Amino acid sequence: HLYTTDAAMAKRATVAATQAKIDSLRAPKSGNLLHELAGTVVTTSNDAREAYDVIDSQTVFVPKRTGWLVERTQQGPHRLALRLPKPASIGRIVLYAHGVRECDVEVLEEDKWRRASGVKPGDAGPCEIRFGAVTTSGVRLTVTEFEGDSFQVYEVEGYAQ
């Protein structure tokens, strides 16, 4: 509790209002099928503990603190797999990353990974990857080229269109 006689303090947000704002920011974006609340499961080729952050709607880049981080010293291939709880139609991926220069997007069809698209994202903002919509139970990102000592994927979203 905070008690004060300063009138300016009375205009500050309440804890409940602040929590409501945090909850709204963590909610899945409309149509995003690759979100933690949808039951998506994340695995990585390097067993990154923080990789689950890539499906939590937090698209703020914090160097070496959020999402999937891979250092150049780690052996490839560098893969991030997102498994859906049930098959869904996906035809667009939105990737928020830093340092990624080339990557492939694959979809899981009948227990086999199939390349859906290749992309050369930059650091200027989210990279939108479109391909023919497919019904899939998973999406996999394979980073084939990156810049500097490391790369970081801090959010991945998936949509039907």
Side-chain angles (χ1 to χ4, degrees):
H1 297 286
L2 177 65
Y3 300 97
T4 182
T5 56
D6 184 349
M9 294 291 283
K11 295 178 183 174
R12 294 183 107 178
T14 64
V15 171
T18 301
Q19 185 62 53
K21 180 67 174 174
I22 291 168
D23 292 344
S24 73
L25 292 172
R26 288 190 66 90
K29 292 179 184 173
S30 180
N32 181 10
L33 302 166
L34 298 177
H35 194 273
E36 63 186 352
L37 297 179
T40 301
V41 175
V42 178
T43 57
T44 67
S45 55
N46 65 339
D47 296 322
R49 281 180 258 147
E50 302 299 319
Y52 63 86
D53 287 347
V54 301
I55 56 170
D56 68 358
S57 291
Q58 302 301 303
T59 57
V60 178
F61 172 61
V62 180
K64 301 192 179 193
R65 298 264 187 214
T66 59
W68 179 42
L69 173 68
V70 175
E71 303 281 345
R72 187 156 303 275
T73 57
Q74 296 171 324
Q75 297 296 313
H78 306 298
R79 292 190 172 122
L80 173 77
L82 307 163
R83 296 283 188 131
L84 296 147
K86 62 183 180 182
S89 178
I90 295 183
R92 179 170 61 103
I93 300 295
V94 180
L95 174 66
Y96 298 81
H98 180 76
V100 175
R101 293 299 164 252
E102 289 186 21
C103 63
D104 289 329
V105 174
E106 300 168 287
V107 292
L108 187 61
E109 293 180 303
E110 298 179 12
D111 293 325
K112 293 189 189 287
W113 291 104
R114 180 182 66 77
R115 186 176 185 268
S117 183
V119 67
K120 294 182 178 186
D123 290 337
C127 175
E128 194 167 286
I129 307 153
R130 292 183 179 271
F131 48 90
V134 295
T135 299
T136 183
S137 56
V139 173
R140 185 166 72 179
L141 179 71
T142 302
V143 175
T144 55
E145 185 68 35
F146 62 96
E147 184 176 281
D149 295 338
S150 64
F151 72 85
Q152 191 169 351
V153 173
Y154 50 99
E155 190 71 25
V156 180
E157 300 166 353
Y159 300 90
Q161 298 290 331

